[in-house]
Amino acid sequence: MLTANDNRAAGSAADNRGADSVAALARESYRGIALYSTPRGRCSVDLSDNTNLWGAPPAALRTLAAVRDEDVTRYPVAYEPALAAALADYVGVSADMIACGCGSDDVLDSAIRAFAEPGEVVCLPEPSFSMIPVFARTNGLCPVAIPLTRSFDVDVDAMLETGARIIYLCSPNNPTGGALPRRTVEQIVENARGLVIIDQAYAEFGGDSFTDLASSGRPVLVTRTMSKAFGLAGLRVGFGIGSPELIAEVLKARGPYKVNALGERAAIAALDSDRAWVDERVDEVVANRSDFRAELAKRGFASLESSANFVLVPVDDCAATASRLERAGIRVRALPGLTGIGDAIRIAIGPWEMMQRCLDAMVASA
Ligand SMILES: *Cc1c(COP(=O)(O)O)cnc(C)c1O
């Protein structure tokens, strides 16, 4: 408590009271939630966020350069039917099976809100996508994390035993990189009590596609994104695939106008005209990923098998390794104390020149 006798300057005491009362007014369940933090400043080789390191797709860039006045002044069409149609064509479903969002983060957040009442359980593997426990808490739900098995598989029985209202799976999984076997996913889908979300943000880079399960008659939402293989992370376009009834519930929770008009136009252009460009980049990722892992192994670093556009490398002290690499102009993601793994760094796969610089810096810093 601050009093009039407090020895601070009167102005700063008043400011502090303001901060205290905001903290007291904010939802109590939000107290443990921190703002998402990303590294600041430029770095010559940024391998920290798994985006497309070759750049943006050319047709999308041309569309953005030709933006007209009405693309900016008018509202887009609510729920983006043209984008949904282009995405539906890309994944081979009908347009009423697509919900777009401001990144797939928005779709995940909306689905979690749409399919569980406050206090219910969202079950997720650990380690997995760090935003899921945050989305659970901001929607008043309880995240329950089930550690991956020793072979980095999902613990099917333990996940089902939670009786969760929502089970989240990620394949290929961030940050481990592993893809889930079809049988594992099917067992969860067949026996889950509520919604099963399958996050396939990295589907283009490997593993099975689970889009077919969205038509299985069970409540399944597959999420995908334009942020990774398609190189449009800055435009924030993601989507979910589910039955038309399920998609309508997700859109209700999401609300209208969540995809901006420029993001929508650029994404449609990329889906119409840049697929071959994306396929070539994906082929290069797959080739560089296996060469990079082999080169890491020669230098004494064992990395986890990956079906994504990144590899996870266990290290003794991830903060020390990451800051040594940063000084050499290479940024990676430091992941301290991962369950079952310990400290690790996650390195995105890009053009070979970047990977070579990373390898050189790893050895110099080891
Ligand atoms: C990057 C990522 C996403 C989503 O990103 P958006 O840019 O919001 O589409 C979703 N899930 C996982 C596992 C990711 O790594």
Side-chain angles (χ1 to χ4, degrees), residues 133-324:
V134 177
F135 294 146
R137 287 202 198 91
T138 52
N139 287 300
L141 308 175
C142 303
V144 173
I146 302 291
L148 294 175
T149 65
R150 271 164 198 262
S151 49
F152 305 115
D153 290 324
V154 155
D155 188 337
V156 173
D157 293 335
M159 288 193 97
L160 291 171
E161 274 163 25
T162 64
R165 187 71 183 200
I166 297 174
I167 293 182
Y168 169 87
L169 302 173
C170 187
S171 181
N173 187 44
N174 180 5
T176 53
L180 290 172
R182 176 160 282 269
R183 189 70 211 118
T184 301
V185 178
E186 285 176 350
Q187 274 177 327
I188 298 241
V189 166
E190 282 158 21
N191 297 295
R193 292 228 199 129
L195 176 70
V196 178
I197 297 176
I198 311 167
D199 183 339
Q200 298 223 267
Y202 301 99
E204 283 87 353
F205 303 104
D208 255 12
S209 161
F210 296 113
T211 298
D212 58 297
L213 296 178
S215 311
S216 64
R218 304 280 308 168
V220 172
L221 179 72
V222 175
T223 60
R224 301 276 299 260
T225 183
M226 300 296 285
S227 299
K228 306 286 159 67
F230 272 87
L232 299 177
L235 294 176
R236 314 301 304 121
V237 180
F239 61 109
I241 309 160
S243 69
E245 300 73 26
L246 194 149
I247 288 302
E249 296 303 319
V250 173
L251 289 176
K252 245 192 244 178
R254 192 208 74 169
Y257 307 131
K258 291 299 174 72
V259 179
N260 74 79
L262 303 190
E264 181 180 16
R265 284 176 56 102
I268 291 172
L271 290 160
D272 284 350
S273 310
D274 289 323
R275 286 197 213 173
W277 182 92
V278 170
D279 288 346
E280 282 167 29
R281 304 290 92 76
V282 168
D283 288 346
E284 229 170 316
V285 166
V286 171
N288 289 356
R289 180 176 72 204
S290 95
D291 293 348
F292 184 65
R293 290 191 65 225
E295 292 298 322
L296 279 175
K298 282 190 210 158
R299 290 161 177 79
F301 296 99
S303 57
L304 273 63
E305 180 83 47
S306 172
S307 296
N309 66 338
F310 57 82
V311 295
L312 190 73
V313 188
V315 293
D316 288 337
D317 179 344
C318 65
T321 305
S323 60
R324 279 195 301 264

Side-chain angles (χ1 to χ4, degrees), residues 15-99:
D15 290 348
N16 273 320
R17 263 198 303 277
D20 284 351
S21 66
V22 169
L25 286 172
R27 284 171 75 146
E28 201 171 330
S29 56
Y30 279 28
R31 263 180 213 158
I33 301 173
L35 291 175
Y36 188 72
S37 79
T38 47
R40 279 155 215 273
R42 290 189 75 77
C43 187
S44 65
V45 178
D46 189 342
L47 309 178
S48 69
D49 63 7
N50 310 335
T51 48
N52 188 322
L53 293 164
W54 282 264
L61 280 182
R62 281 196 301 276
T63 299
L64 289 172
V67 161
R68 295 158 311 183
D69 195 78
E70 66 264 33
D71 298 325
V72 177
T73 57
R74 305 304 303 263
Y75 281 95
V77 181
Y79 306 110
E80 316 77 34
L83 175 57
L87 290 165
D89 178 67
Y90 175 55
V91 297
V93 300
S94 57
D96 58 359
M97 291 184 68
I98 301 286

Side-chain angles (χ1 to χ4, degrees), residues 84-127:
L87 290 165
D89 178 67
Y90 175 55
V91 297
V93 300
S94 57
D96 58 359
M97 291 184 68
I98 301 286
C100 309
C102 177
S104 53
D105 278 3
D106 187 26
V107 179
L108 292 164
D109 180 41
S110 302
I112 285 173
R113 183 157 63 244
F115 285 90
E117 294 288 356
E120 291 183 316
V121 168
V122 178
C123 179
L124 66 152
E126 182 171 293

